[in-house]
Amino acid sequence: MTTNVPVIDVHAEAHGSGSTHYLNCSKGFWSWAGTLDHKRIGLMYLIGTGVAFLAGGLFALLVRLHLWQPDGLLFKDNVQYNQIFTLHGAFMVFLFVIPAIPGSLGNMVLPLMLGAKDVALPRLNLLSFYLWVTGAVLAALAIILGGFDTGWTFYAPYSLYTDQAVVTIGLAVFVLGFSSIFTGLNFIVTVHKLRAPGLTWFRMPLFVWALYATSILQVLATPVLGITVLLVAFERLYHIGIFDPRLGGDPVLFEHFFWFYSHPAVYIMVLPAFGIISELVSVHSRKPLFGYKLIAFSSLAIAIISFLVWGHHMFTSGQSTYAMFAFSFLTFFVAIPTAIKEFSWVATVWKGSIALNAPMLYTLAFLIIFAIGGLTGVILGSLNVDIHLHDTYFVVAHFHYVMMGSIALAFFAGLHHWWPKMFGVMYDETMAKIACGLIFVGFNATFIPQFIMGSRGMPRRYATYVPEYQPYHMASTIGAMILGVGVAVMVFCFVASLFQRKKAMQNQWGGVTLDWLTPTPPPLENFAEAPTVTNEVYDYSTLDYKAMQTPVR
Amino acid sequence: MSHDGHHSVVIPAPGPEFVPHTVAHHFDTPVQEFQAAKLGFWLFLATEILLFGGLFAAYFYFHESYPETFRLGGRQLDWKLGALNTTVLLISSWTMAMGVRSAQTSQKQKTLMYCALTVLGAAIFMVVKFFEYKAKNEHGLIVFSELFHPYDGATGSIPWFKDYHGVMAGVPHGHLFFAIYLTMTAIHGLHVVIGAGLILWVMKGAAKGRFHAGYFLPVDLVGLYWHLVDLIWIFLFPLLYLVP
Ligand SMILES: [Cu+2]
C-alpha cells in the first residue's frame, strides 16, 4: 500500500530547526483575538464552551441540592428556583452542547482531516466565535438584569407575560443562532471545496461526514429559531399578538415554530458526537469501521428525517390525531439509522485490538448510555405512553441520557483523543480513567432514579414535591455530586497536563486519518506540503509505527 | 495576514487603473476561492429565505384564522404605492445585474453608474415606504409614537392600535393584520437599507479599481443579495396588498 501523504518527518531533529507550531508561531493578545487560524479559533471555542459547561453544571448542582428535601433546601422562592434551572438549560443547550463539538473539536480537526490549510472562510469563522462571545455576554447581561425563568424553551404565553429579561436572552439566542449558522455554512463550503486531492467523499473520515450532516441542519433549521425568538421579543415589545391568546394569537404556533428548530437541534447536538465515536471506535480498536457507508448515509438520513418529527414534543397540545399518528410513526423511523450506527460501532469493536485508554473508556461508556438514551426515546415517541410520561422526570432522564450521557461523554472522549494532538502533551492516564469511572457512575446514579420517579408521576420543573419521591431525589442528588467530582477531576487532569508537559507521541493512538499524519502540534498551515490521498479511509495497514514511538519535539 | 510563499496565484488585471487580486492563502486557485465564496453565499441566502419563511408561515396561519380581518386590513393599504415600489425594486434589480455585468467586463465607470442607480432605487423605495407608514400612523392603524407602550391587560386595548376611523371595528383582532404587515415590511426594509449599504461599499472598492474581469466576487455577491431583497418583496406585495 502506497501513500503520498507526507508522513511525519520523525528525523526532523537532524535539521536543527526548533519546533514551530500553531501555539507558539506568534505571541501577544491580538495574535489570538484576531487570529484567522482554525486551530486557534477552535482552542478559544474550547475555553469558552468549557467555561459555559462548568457554569451550567454548577447551576445543575444547585438545582439538585435544592431538591434534596420535599419543600426545597436552597432557594428563597420558586422564582429563584425557576431562574436557576432555566440558566442550567439555556447555558447547557445554547452555550455548550450546540456549539461545543463543532466549534472546538470540529474547528480544530476538520481542516486537518481534509488536508486543508484552513476552513474555507476563515474570517467568517472568527465572526462565528465573536457572535458566540456576544451571545454569552448577552446571556450574562440577562442574569444581571434580573434573570429569566421561562425554561430554555421560552414557551408562550408565559414568556410573553413574565416580568423578566426575556428580550435580552432572546437576543442572545438569536445571535448564538447566527454563530451556529455561520459555522455550519463554513464547514459545508470547506468540505465541498477544500478536500485534498484524492480525498473522495467516501474516503472522508466519519467525523467529517457527521459534521457535514450537522452543518446542513444548522443552516436549514436555525433561522426558524432565530425568527421565533425575534417574534417573542417583538411580542413583548409591541404586542404583535401572534403567540398571545389575549390578542387573537396562538401559543401552539410558537410550539410548532420552536420545535421545528429544536428537534433538528437535537441532531445538531448529537451528530457530531456520533462522528467522534465513529473515529474513536476505529482508532482504539485499530480496525476499519464496520459499515462505513451505512454510518455516513445514516447521518444524512437522520438529518432529513429530523425535520419531520417535531410534533412528538406536542402530543398533549391538541394537534389532530392524524398528525400525532404521523409524527409518532416518523419518530420510530429515526431509530433505524440510529440503531445502524450503534450496531456498526459495536461490530467495529468486536475482535478488534482494543486499547482500554481513557478515550476508549469514554467511548464504551457512550455506547452503553446512548443505547438507553435512544431506546427511552422510542418509548416516549409512542403516543399512548407519552401521554402518561409527558412533562415528568422520565423525559428529563431521557434527554439527559442523550445530552449529557451521550453528547458530553463523546465530547470528553474526543477531547482526550485529540488533546495530545492539540497541545503535544499527554494527560495522566490513570487520573483520566478514574475521572471517567466517577462520571459514568455519577451520571447513572443521577438519572436512573429520575427514570423511576418519572414513570411514577414526578412532574418536571417543580421546586417542591410530595415526600414519597424524596428517596429518588436524594439518590439523584448524590449521583450529581459524584458526577460533579468526576468532572472536576477530569478538568484538573487536563489543566495539570499543560503544566507537567509530559510529551505525547507524534501519533499518540495510531490514527491513519490525515489529522494524525501532520506534525504534533500542527504547524500554522497544517501540512508541510499539500497532501494527496491514495489509500482508503481507516486502512491500518498504512500505519507508521515509528510515529507512535516518537515524542513531539 | 502574510504567509510566505502562498500568494503565488495572481490574477492579471486588464489595465493600469485596476488593482490585481491576490488569492487568499488557503486557496490554491482563484476559481476555487470564487466557488467557495459563492457556495457560502447561496447557503446564507437560504437562511434568509428560511428566516422570512417563519414570517410567511405566520401570515398564512392568521390569514386562515381571520380571513375577514386580513381582507379589510389589506384594503387599508395603498396598492398603487405598493405597485410603485414593486416597479422600483424590479428596475433596481435590473440595474444591479447590469452593475455586476459591467464589473465582469472591467467597465469601471459603468459599474459605478449602475450601482449608484440601484442605491437610488433603494432610496426611492424607502421614501415611499415612509409615506405609507405615515398614512397608517395618521389613521391610527399603527401609532408609532406608542409602539412600545405597555399592553393594558385590564382594558385589553393595544396602545399602538387606535383605529381612529373605525375601519377595522367589525372584524376580530384588527391589529393582527397591521402587526404582521409592520413586522414583515420593517424587516424587509432593514434588508433594503443593509443592501444599499453593501452596494455603497462595493462602489468604494470599484472606485479604487478593485474589480475587473479577473476579480468581481464582492459585486457578484452583493448583487445576489439585492436580488433576494427584491424577490422577497415580490412575495410580500401581492400577499399584503392584493390577496386580501
Ligand atoms: Cu424531538
Side-chain angles (χ1 to χ4, degrees), chain A residues 117 120 193 238 248 250 525, chain B residues 6 25-26 32 61 66 160 183:
Chain A
K117 289 181 192 139
K193 296 295 169 194
Y238 62 87
D250 186 352
E525 291 192 329
Chain B
H6 290 287
H25 75 97
H26 56 292
Q32 189 188 28
Y61 184 82
Y66 308 108
W160 57 261
T183 307

Side-chain angles (χ1 to χ4, degrees), chain B residues 3-94:
Chain B
H3 297 281
D4 296 335
H6 290 287
H7 292 277
S8 46
V9 189
V10 177
I11 306 151
E17 55 170 329
F18 291 104
V19 186
H21 170 67
T22 45
V23 173
H25 75 97
H26 56 292
F27 291 112
D28 296 327
T29 64
V31 175
Q32 189 188 28
E33 181 184 49
F34 181 83
Q35 288 178 343
K38 201 97 186 237
L39 175 62
F41 204 80
W42 275 109
L43 288 168
F44 172 71
L45 294 185
T47 71
E48 285 274 17
I49 289 171
L50 282 158
L51 197 124
F52 275 96
L55 292 172
F56 280 113
Y59 170 91
F60 284 116
Y61 184 82
F62 288 103
H63 189 275
E64 267 315 286
S65 308
Y66 308 108
E68 275 302 291
T69 307
F70 275 64
R71 195 179 60 79
L72 260 185
R75 274 207 220 143
Q76 312 309 316
L77 305 182
D78 188 338
W79 70 268
K80 285 173 197 144
L81 287 180
L84 171 66
N85 256 351
T86 309
T87 317
V88 168
L89 275 195
L90 278 174
I91 294 173
S92 79
S93 239
W94 177 75

Side-chain angles (χ1 to χ4, degrees), chain A residues 152 217 221 255-270 302-313 330-331 334 398 403:
Chain A
W152 75 277
L217 290 178
E255 295 183 25
H256 278 294
F257 276 14
F258 183 81
W259 289 112
F260 181 81
Y261 163 76
S262 291
H263 185 81
V266 171
Y267 297 100
I268 291 178
M269 305 181 218
V270 82
I302 288 173
I304 293 163
I305 301 171
S306 74
F307 277 105
L308 309 171
V309 300
W310 78 89
H312 65 209
H313 296 269
L330 287 163
T331 302
V334 183
H398 155 67
M403 301 282 130

Side-chain angles (χ1 to χ4, degrees), chain A residues 159-202:
Chain A
S159 58
L160 312 180
Y161 301 162
T162 178
D163 58 352
Q164 309 215 336
V166 176
V167 174
T168 316
I169 191 67
L171 217 58
V173 170
F174 183 79
V175 171
L176 289 169
F178 269 90
S179 164
S180 175
I181 287 171
F182 289 149
T183 301
L185 190 157
N186 218 334
F187 285 1
I188 292 177
V189 177
T190 309
V191 170
H192 274 275
K193 296 295 169 194
L194 292 187
R195 276 173 290 130
L199 187 63
T200 58
W201 282 83
F202 292 113

Side-chain angles (χ1 to χ4, degrees), chain B residues 13-221:
Chain B
E17 55 170 329
F18 291 104
V19 186
H21 170 67
T22 45
V23 173
H25 75 97
H26 56 292
F27 291 112
D28 296 327
T29 64
V31 175
Q32 189 188 28
E33 181 184 49
F34 181 83
Q35 288 178 343
K38 201 97 186 237
L39 175 62
F41 204 80
W42 275 109
L43 288 168
F44 172 71
L45 294 185
T47 71
E48 285 274 17
I49 289 171
L50 282 158
L51 197 124
F52 275 96
L55 292 172
F56 280 113
Y59 170 91
F60 284 116
Y61 184 82
F62 288 103
H63 189 275
E64 267 315 286
S65 308
Y66 308 108
E68 275 302 291
T69 307
F70 275 64
R71 195 179 60 79
L72 260 185
R75 274 207 220 143
Q76 312 309 316
L77 305 182
D78 188 338
W79 70 268
K80 285 173 197 144
L81 287 180
L84 171 66
N85 256 351
T86 309
T87 317
V88 168
L89 275 195
L90 278 174
I91 294 173
S92 79
S93 239
W94 177 75
T95 55
M96 191 65 226
M98 291 307 288
V100 175
R101 185 78 206 130
S102 314
Q104 286 170 342
T105 48
S106 309
Q107 290 169 288
K108 184 170 144 184
Q109 294 309 325
K110 274 192 172 179
T111 309
L112 284 170
M113 183 191 75
Y114 281 119
C115 282
L117 283 174
T118 314
V119 174
L120 181 68
I124 295 173
F125 181 91
M126 291 313 290
V127 169
V128 172
K129 201 80 238 158
F130 170 78
F131 281 108
E132 284 190 83
Y133 281 160
K134 192 158 167 272
K136 295 290 148 303
N137 194 39
E138 279 159 9
H139 297 144
L141 296 171
I142 307 171
V143 183
F144 283 90
S145 58
E146 296 188 32
L147 194 59
F148 298 120
H149 285 201
Y151 171 69
D152 183 358
T155 65
S157 67
I158 296 157
W160 57 261
F161 186 70
K162 301 260 194 271
D163 192 10
Y164 300 135
H165 308 302
V167 286
M168 305 295 285
V171 294
H173 306 297
H175 73 283
L176 252 177
F177 176 82
F178 296 97
I180 289 177
Y181 163 77
L182 175 68
T183 307
M184 291 180 101
T185 53
I187 293 183
H188 176 262
L190 183 68
H191 279 74
V192 172
V193 173
I194 291 173
L198 288 172
I199 297 168
L200 286 173
W201 169 72
V202 155
M203 285 170 71
K204 206 176 129 203
K208 287 183 188 158
R210 278 183 60 209
F211 308 126
H212 46 77
Y215 179 71
F216 50 85
L217 179 65
V219 197
D220 209 1
L221 298 186

